[in-house]
Amino acid sequence: MYIASGKAHFFKNSKEYTVSAGNIIVYSPHEPQNYVYYREDKTDVYWVHFTGYDVENILAGYGINAKDNILYIGTSPDYQWLFGQIIQELQLCRPKYEELLPLLLRNIFILMGRSIETNKKFSDATEKEIAFAVHYFRINYSTEINIDKYAESRNMSVCWFIRCFKQITGQTPLQYILSLRISNAQSLLENTDYSISEIASSVGYDNALYFSRIFRKQTGISPSEYRKKRNI
């Protein structure tokens, strides 16, 4: 179970654990799964069940200890995209989808392993500071965010903040904000009838033409082409 945003409350051995965004919870077979979300936490969760021969050793190969129930792996949009692809393949059942599903899951394992290895290099305080920044960016991505001013407001060196943010998340703060904008624009193009101008404004761009150029640069196609392709 991957906590993409908000937080969830898990119960184990009569104890309650509050798990925030960026953490993943690993359950072994037959292990009780007791948890709860509250509306005010605005929790967004992805989960996948998997099995197979020698699973524990497979996970260990990616640096994932199945006995460590709660692991911090960061809040990269890549996780949400991969889980979204798994869901889409299961819903559409397109040719060869059964071959693609394990590859997508392995991709998640690779990202998890990289995050776990990277996080070993940082103190708890640094990880919490970057997790706070990720949460702030996710909430405010559609507004103008000045990275220098944000770092100063948190009493951090701008260079130090950018370097740590990139090492932990794999992206600079500006790249992360851009990925959030494009990801949310894609969702609006797929699931709403909003105009391109309305979508541009919703994700933080006053100029629809500029938004279209940025969207094409990131995805390879224009917003209108993306909408037509998804609606085929």
Side-chain angles (χ1 to χ4, degrees), residues 148-206:
D148 289 7
K149 289 183 178 179
Y150 173 83
E152 291 172 5
S153 73
R154 302 291 297 175
N155 298 314
M156 295 182 290
S157 157
V158 176
C159 292
W160 180 89
F161 170 63
I162 293 174
R163 183 174 65 253
C164 290
F165 191 97
K166 184 174 183 179
Q167 289 180 324
I168 290 177
T169 68
Q171 298 174 300
T172 67
L174 288 178
Q175 288 170 337
Y176 184 79
I177 293 167
L178 175 60
S179 66
L180 288 174
R181 289 181 169 184
I182 298 302
S183 177
N184 281 276
Q186 289 173 317
S187 179
L188 291 171
L189 287 166
E190 293 175 23
N191 301 303
T192 74
D193 294 323
Y194 294 164
S195 69
I196 303 302
S197 294
E198 288 173 323
I199 291 174
S201 179
S202 295
V203 299
Y205 296 99
D206 295 330

Side-chain angles (χ1 to χ4, degrees), residues 36-230:
V36 63
Y37 321 130
Y38 298 113
R39 180 179 298 177
E40 59 267 24
D41 292 334
K42 299 180 179 180
T43 308
D44 190 10
V45 174
Y46 295 88
W47 55 266
V48 60
H49 289 276
F50 62 92
T51 187
Y53 176 75
D54 209 20
V55 168
E56 286 195 4
N57 285 333
I58 290 173
L59 292 177
Y62 296 102
I64 304 165
N65 185 347
K67 295 180 180 179
D68 291 337
N69 280 77
I70 302 174
L71 301 165
Y72 182 78
I73 59 171
T75 54
S76 169
D78 291 339
Y79 291 116
Q80 296 178 65
W81 185 86
L82 287 165
F83 277 111
Q85 288 298 109
I86 289 175
I87 293 168
Q88 180 175 286
E89 291 297 327
L90 286 169
Q91 290 174 335
L92 299 179
C93 296
R94 294 178 291 195
K96 305 294 185 181
Y97 81 97
E98 291 176 314
E99 294 181 30
L100 181 56
L101 289 172
L103 298 178
L104 291 168
L105 183 59
R106 290 269 188 171
N107 201 334
I108 292 174
F109 290 161
I110 290 171
L111 292 181
M112 289 174 62
R114 287 176 177 175
S115 296
I116 291 168
E117 183 61 32
T118 299
N119 291 341
K120 290 178 181 178
K121 303 174 184 177
F122 297 94
S123 66
D124 289 343
T126 299
E127 289 183 15
K128 288 180 180 178
E129 193 62 64
I130 300 305
F132 182 90
V134 165
H135 178 67
Y136 178 85
F137 295 157
R138 286 182 61 83
I139 293 175
N140 298 285
Y141 73 90
S142 61
T143 65
E144 184 177 350
I145 300 175
N146 184 301
I147 301 303
D148 289 7
K149 289 183 178 179
Y150 173 83
E152 291 172 5
S153 73
R154 302 291 297 175
N155 298 314
M156 295 182 290
S157 157
V158 176
C159 292
W160 180 89
F161 170 63
I162 293 174
R163 183 174 65 253
C164 290
F165 191 97
K166 184 174 183 179
Q167 289 180 324
I168 290 177
T169 68
Q171 298 174 300
T172 67
L174 288 178
Q175 288 170 337
Y176 184 79
I177 293 167
L178 175 60
S179 66
L180 288 174
R181 289 181 169 184
I182 298 302
S183 177
N184 281 276
Q186 289 173 317
S187 179
L188 291 171
L189 287 166
E190 293 175 23
N191 301 303
T192 74
D193 294 323
Y194 294 164
S195 69
I196 303 302
S197 294
E198 288 173 323
I199 291 174
S201 179
S202 295
V203 299
Y205 296 99
D206 295 330
N207 188 312
L209 291 177
Y210 178 71
F211 161 70
S212 295
R213 287 200 299 270
I214 294 294
F215 190 94
R216 180 186 287 276
K217 184 177 180 180
Q218 296 299 311
T219 66
I221 57 177
S222 70
S224 57
E225 290 171 333
Y226 182 89
R227 172 171 274 168
K228 289 178 182 178
K229 186 177 179 180
R230 288 294 179 172

